[in-house]
Amino acid sequence: DEFYVSSDPEHPMLYAEVVDLTGRIINQTPRINANSITIQRGDLPPGLYFLKVRFEEGFITQKVVLK
């Protein structure tokens, strides 16, 4: 399984990471410089995670629920 992340064309993503509820980094995607990425779920169990995406202007954190 995988999930797709996209951003506004004027604001390319620079870096993304998936973090679990304890703050442990589960997946990192450095040096993106694009407006869309596909993140592989791998063997992550169902649950709540946070997606942190860095842009040149700052960053956002988004909840991700994997079923």
Side-chain angles (χ1 to χ4, degrees):
D1 288 348
E2 59 192 24
F3 54 97
Y4 180 76
V5 181
S6 63
S7 67
D8 186 306
E10 295 178 12
H11 303 286
M13 295 177 279
L14 302 177
Y15 178 88
E17 65 185 19
V18 178
V19 179
D20 69 10
L21 290 176
T22 67
R24 183 173 57 122
I25 298 171
I26 303 297
N27 181 305
Q28 293 180 338
T29 308
R31 298 182 296 280
I32 300 170
N33 200 27
N35 296 93
S36 65
I37 59 169
T38 301
I39 297 177
Q40 298 298 319
R41 178 176 175 170
D43 59 351
L44 286 178
L48 178 64
Y49 298 88
F50 294 98
L51 172 69
K52 295 182 178 183
V53 179
R54 181 175 164 84
F55 302 90
E56 195 168 300
E57 301 82 7
F59 69 94
I60 62 163
T61 302
Q62 180 73 41
K63 264 194 301 191
V64 176
V65 177
L66 299 179
K67 296 184 178 190

